[in-house]
Amino acid sequence: MYVHKKIKTEDALDIDRIQVRKAKPGDEEGIYRVACSVSGQKDSYQGFLMDDYHSDPEYYLNFFRDRIENLEYFFVATINSKIIGFSLSYKKSMWLKYYPDWIEKINWHPSFDKSFLNDFVLIDKTAIVAEHTGEGIGSLIYEEIIKQMRSHNIHYIFSETLVDPVPNFASLSFRKKQNYHLAGMRYEEHKGIMYTDLIYWKKI
């Protein structure tokens, strides 16, 4: 478990200790509350999740229960046991179990080396409760993911960032900050809307 000493600012959380740990059964309601706080409005500069989590609470609670039960790389950030952020990530085998045609649907960049796909972790959904975005909480979760990947001898990390119809500039900024490289582009239809995702990769 990773423990971080926060540097307090005027608008930051009053409590200065954040813990990052693996998600466990019973966390789904706290995770769902975080997801709801950043879905719906699609704020390009604060970050958002594509799905409208308010629309079907039982479906999304079951979704998180399933991922908690099956994923090795599902982490939450907590303060005083309250969940304030999460990152939902998949090892290659699990990602392709849920999305078996993902590799084939990507328009890969000509310079991308597909041998990097032999083993990887894909960071899918990351969210920090809306009132505390931009305070470094996402970076803490990311550091724990990297730590666990290295312990499992996995060296490549992938992520998707939405660029159309509503660009997620917060996610793009994070990829740039963490020195990711563009791997390709993917089109995805979701509830009658066509979305465009950029695929990024990084060696750790």
Side-chain angles (χ1 to χ4, degrees):
M1 181 168 57
Y2 178 88
V3 180
H4 172 72
K5 184 78 171 178
K6 272 185 63 67
I7 298 173
K8 289 185 178 180
T9 65
E10 183 178 349
D11 297 323
L13 292 164
D14 293 334
I15 301 172
D16 62 4
R17 295 189 69 84
I18 297 174
Q19 295 183 334
V20 178
R21 59 168 173 78
K22 289 184 179 180
K24 61 186 180 181
D27 284 341
E28 59 272 6
E29 291 189 3
I31 293 166
Y32 176 72
R33 284 193 294 270
V34 173
C36 285
S37 78
V38 294
S39 71
Q41 293 188 351
K42 304 291 190 291
D43 187 329
S44 292
Y45 293 94
Q46 290 296 314
F48 58 85
L49 296 177
M50 185 172 68
D51 291 307
D52 180 5
Y53 288 84
H54 302 275
S55 65
D56 193 342
E58 192 55 37
Y59 169 83
Y60 287 110
L61 284 168
N62 286 331
F63 172 91
F64 288 128
R65 289 187 188 103
D66 173 81
R67 298 314 192 263
I68 289 170
E69 183 176 324
N70 288 288
L71 299 187
E72 192 172 354
Y73 286 85
F74 193 172
F75 292 93
V76 296
T78 68
I79 293 180
N80 283 357
S81 300
K82 180 180 180 181
I83 294 173
I84 57 171
F86 70 87
S87 185
L88 179 61
S89 303
Y90 299 70
K91 289 180 67 174
K92 176 185 178 179
S93 58
M94 293 305 298
W95 181 245
L96 296 182
K97 174 183 176 181
Y98 289 106
Y99 307 101
D101 57 355
W102 180 78
I103 291 175
E104 289 72 23
K105 284 190 172 182
I106 294 172
N107 297 309
W108 296 103
H109 193 280
S111 67
F112 176 69
D113 184 347
K114 289 188 178 180
S115 69
F116 299 161
L117 295 167
N118 289 342
D119 199 11
F120 62 82
V121 165
L122 185 138
I123 298 180
D124 182 25
K125 306 177 191 300
T126 299
I128 308 302
V129 69
E131 61 265 33
H132 294 300
T133 58
E135 295 182 16
I137 300 168
S139 294
L140 300 182
I141 303 174
Y142 178 78
E143 289 171 14
E144 184 66 14
I145 293 171
I146 298 301
K147 175 183 174 183
Q148 293 298 320
M149 286 180 62
R150 286 175 173 156
S151 73
H152 297 146
N153 201 31
I154 300 174
H155 301 291
Y156 293 97
I157 189 167
F158 285 79
S159 187
E160 297 187 325
T161 295
L162 183 68
V163 293
D164 186 74
V166 182
N168 192 333
F169 292 131
S171 180
L172 287 169
S173 177
F174 185 79
R175 303 299 158 220
K176 182 177 180 180
K177 175 183 176 183
Q178 297 292 336
N179 297 313
Y180 277 75
H181 310 283
L182 183 64
M185 180 177 66
R186 181 173 71 94
Y187 297 104
E188 174 187 10
E189 185 175 353
H190 181 69
K191 296 184 178 180
I193 299 174
M194 185 62 71
Y195 293 88
T196 304
D197 295 311
L198 296 182
I199 316 300
Y200 285 93
W201 72 275
K202 178 181 178 179
K203 185 176 181 180
I204 62 165

